[in-house]
Amino acid sequence: MMNRFCRYVDKCFHFSQLLSLFTDSRKSPQIPGPAVLASAFALFACNRTSLNSLEKDLIHFPARLRGLVGPRPPSIDTIGRVYALADSGSLRRILVDVHHRLKRNKALADGDELKIAAVDGHEFFNSRKRCCPECQQRTLTIQGEEVVEYYHQGVVCHLIEHELAVPLDVELLRPGEGEETAAKRLLQRVFANYPRYFDVVCGDALYFDAPFLNFCTGHGKHAIVVIKGENRVLLQDARGVFDQQAPGVWQDGKRAVRYWDAEGFTTAEGVKQPLRVVRTQQTVRRRERVAGQWVEKEETSEWYWAVTLSKRQLPTRRVWRAGHRRWDVENDCFNVLSRHWGLDHCFKHAPAAIVNFVLTLFLGYVLLQCFWQRNVKEPLRQKIRTLIGLADEVRRSLGAGVRAPWYGQLARAP
């Protein structure tokens, strides 16, 4: 399975050429940078969640990995050290190239004409003993004593409403910095690297303010953000308008949705263009077992979204769907990668290494999904059942018989 996976990523994504783009600041390396990248890529492709889990292959059974990483497999200390010195821009170029090939190969052709990306923050790991100059800090009270906790948080941009989970890029928050500031720095780079990948930026209530909305529209992108807070003037005005309107209704499976939609709101202070507000109330009937008997309950939730697109550009139902599919970044990216691929593990406590390992994880995750959805045949898919099962099969197939197409270039002296 590993041989097949390597041939697939090299044929469809020219992985041998991408490895050569990886650079670091070492002057006379004994082990080439591409070999280090190939080792970290094998780590995530095989669903290992720490460098220590790779150590037994690198030290005790090095022949298992030589066909992937060259005749001199790097140690886990070397991988961590090189990743702390590596250029994050080179890994981003590799990821951009993979995503562009995905689009050219029609792997991102599903969905409507308007494409949507979500931005959201995530805390990767924390410690009360180890820190670096770029750590954020917070003070906790533990058993009556104040304790300083150090942590790293980042913002991820992720395409939503696709069959594939497609994380585009990540940006770490600097000490004392807010999530929105890092998100704008991230989007500035994403807009340049992926100019035609999406048209709309979707965010939670944290992003509902004039600087962020003006930032998106100033770069030719639209925005859909959640509105919360009883003291919001825009929210109060929208409620006053909606109280005078009869709601529309649609049925979505077991969910009944009532909606209100109005345009032309100018009471959001500092926003340069009138906003549209969409309000939905959705009711779901659920059955649950209570005291040995089935009981039906109704659950109702209400949402408000501020939208920079008109009704003609984006229908109400699509706004509602996009607002809820924003959770793709939580479910398909943060939750899956944290539970099964070590997203929240500290591989190396250095700011550059943290970013580089996350970018390599995104690379391995995207390529493994493509292999699963576009190359593995249905009978084998039914046998393996899940993407995690596929990663386990790839790991079990490691051995002396594995020889990746890029082995020749790693066997040469750096």
Side-chain angles (χ1 to χ4, degrees):
M1 186 64 76
M2 176 59 87
N3 270 327
R4 180 176 169 181
F5 175 62
C6 292
R7 289 195 302 268
Y8 171 77
V9 298
D10 195 59
K11 178 182 177 180
C12 296
F13 298 95
H14 304 285
F15 197 73
S16 299
Q17 299 176 19
L18 297 180
L19 284 175
S20 63
L21 298 177
F22 181 76
T23 59
D24 61 85
S25 59
R26 294 176 298 164
K27 295 189 180 299
S28 301
Q30 296 182 357
I31 297 177
V36 177
L37 173 57
S39 301
F41 178 74
L43 169 81
F44 294 121
C46 295
N47 193 21
R48 297 187 185 277
T49 56
S50 70
L51 288 175
N52 288 333
S53 66
L54 191 67
E55 185 174 21
K56 62 181 181 181
D57 289 332
L58 292 171
I59 296 179
H60 302 296
F61 307 101
R64 299 185 67 190
L65 283 175
R66 281 181 183 145
L68 292 176
V69 304
R72 297 184 61 188
S75 67
I76 61 173
D77 290 335
T78 298
I79 296 174
R81 178 170 55 86
V82 172
Y83 260 61
L85 300 172
D87 176 22
S88 300
S90 65
L91 278 170
R92 288 190 171 103
R93 286 195 298 273
I94 293 172
L95 197 58
V96 168
D97 190 275
V98 166
H99 286 141
H100 283 311
R101 292 187 186 277
L102 277 178
K103 191 171 184 181
R104 285 197 295 270
N105 293 339
K106 307 300 182 184
L108 302 179
D110 50 337
D112 297 334
E113 291 184 2
L114 280 175
K115 306 296 184 182
I116 303 175
V119 289
D120 202 4
H122 181 73
E123 182 178 318
F124 295 115
F125 58 87
N126 57 68
S127 174
R128 296 172 190 168
K129 296 183 179 179
R130 302 185 65 182
C131 67
C132 70
E134 294 297 316
C135 274
Q136 294 181 290
Q137 299 182 23
R138 60 190 168 210
T139 303
L140 306 177
T141 302
I142 308 295
Q143 297 181 350
E145 295 185 3
E146 290 189 347
V147 178
V148 177
E149 187 171 76
Y150 307 96
Y151 66 100
H152 280 277
Q153 185 180 4
V155 183
V156 172
C157 184
H158 187 283
L159 290 184
I160 63 174
E161 298 186 320
H162 290 282
E163 187 178 358
L164 287 171
V166 191
L168 299 179
D169 203 348
V170 62
E171 179 72 22
L172 289 186
L173 274 70
R174 296 167 183 168
E177 188 175 60
E179 181 180 319
E180 183 185 326
T181 304
K184 287 193 285 189
R185 193 166 59 246
L186 168 68
L187 288 174
Q188 187 85 36
R189 185 171 59 246
V190 170
F191 291 158
N193 290 337
Y194 304 93
R196 298 183 180 180
Y197 259 62
F198 58 92
D199 311 283
V200 185
V201 179
C202 191
D204 58 22
L206 182 66
Y207 297 95
F208 177 64
D209 61 15
F212 183 79
L213 294 174
N214 293 335
F215 172 82
C216 292
T217 55
H219 285 81
K221 305 294 183 182
H222 292 284
I224 300 174
V225 293
V226 178
I227 312 175
K228 288 184 179 179
E230 294 297 324
N231 58 345
R232 296 277 188 185
V233 177
L234 177 62
L235 188 59
Q236 295 174 2
D237 287 351
R239 284 176 175 167
V241 171
F242 294 150
D243 286 344
Q244 310 300 319
Q245 294 181 355
V249 180
W250 73 69
Q251 192 75 25
D252 183 74
K254 296 182 179 180
R255 185 183 292 107
V257 182
R258 305 169 70 214
Y259 67 90
W260 295 259
D261 194 342
E263 297 177 315
F265 290 95
T266 58
T267 49
E269 184 177 357
V271 180
K272 295 181 179 179
Q273 70 175 69
L275 293 176
R276 170 187 172 196
V277 178
V278 175
R279 172 193 180 191
T280 64
Q281 288 180 346
Q282 51 194 46
T283 303
V284 182
R285 296 186 64 86
R286 302 186 185 277
R287 294 180 69 209
E288 59 181 17
R289 196 79 167 174
V290 178
Q293 296 182 351
W294 287 106
V295 177
E296 286 195 356
K297 295 186 357 181
E298 284 191 353
E299 297 181 1
T300 301
S301 59
E302 184 176 61
W303 291 85
Y304 285 85
W305 290 283
V307 187
T308 61
L309 300 104
S310 65
K311 296 179 182 179
R312 180 181 56 82
Q313 292 173 303
L314 199 67
T316 306
R317 191 160 184 168
R318 180 79 196 284
V319 173
W320 170 81
R321 188 178 72 189
H324 288 292
R325 288 295 298 270
R326 177 181 62 84
W327 289 96
D328 286 356
V329 65
E330 287 280 354
N331 299 328
D332 297 339
C333 184
F334 298 153
N335 292 348
V336 172
L337 296 183
S338 297
R339 292 182 61 185
H340 303 292
W341 267 276
L343 177 65
D344 292 348
H345 177 73
C346 180
F347 294 91
K348 174 74 174 179
H349 199 149
I354 295 168
V355 172
N356 291 334
F357 275 112
V358 172
L359 291 172
T360 308
L361 172 55
F362 288 171
L363 177 66
Y365 183 47
V366 169
L367 292 179
L368 200 64
Q369 287 182 90
C370 291
F371 180 62
W372 170 247
Q373 295 184 15
R374 301 174 68 83
N375 187 269
V376 178
K377 305 303 180 185
E378 186 61 29
L380 186 56
R381 286 166 60 94
Q382 292 180 0
K383 180 180 178 181
I384 298 177
R385 301 181 67 86
T386 64
L387 185 67
I388 300 168
L390 174 65
D392 292 340
E393 288 290 330
V394 170
R395 183 177 67 249
R396 283 193 290 267
S397 67
L398 279 175
V402 173
R403 181 62 62 94
W406 52 84
Y407 175 82
Q409 71 187 62
L410 300 182
R412 297 191 295 270

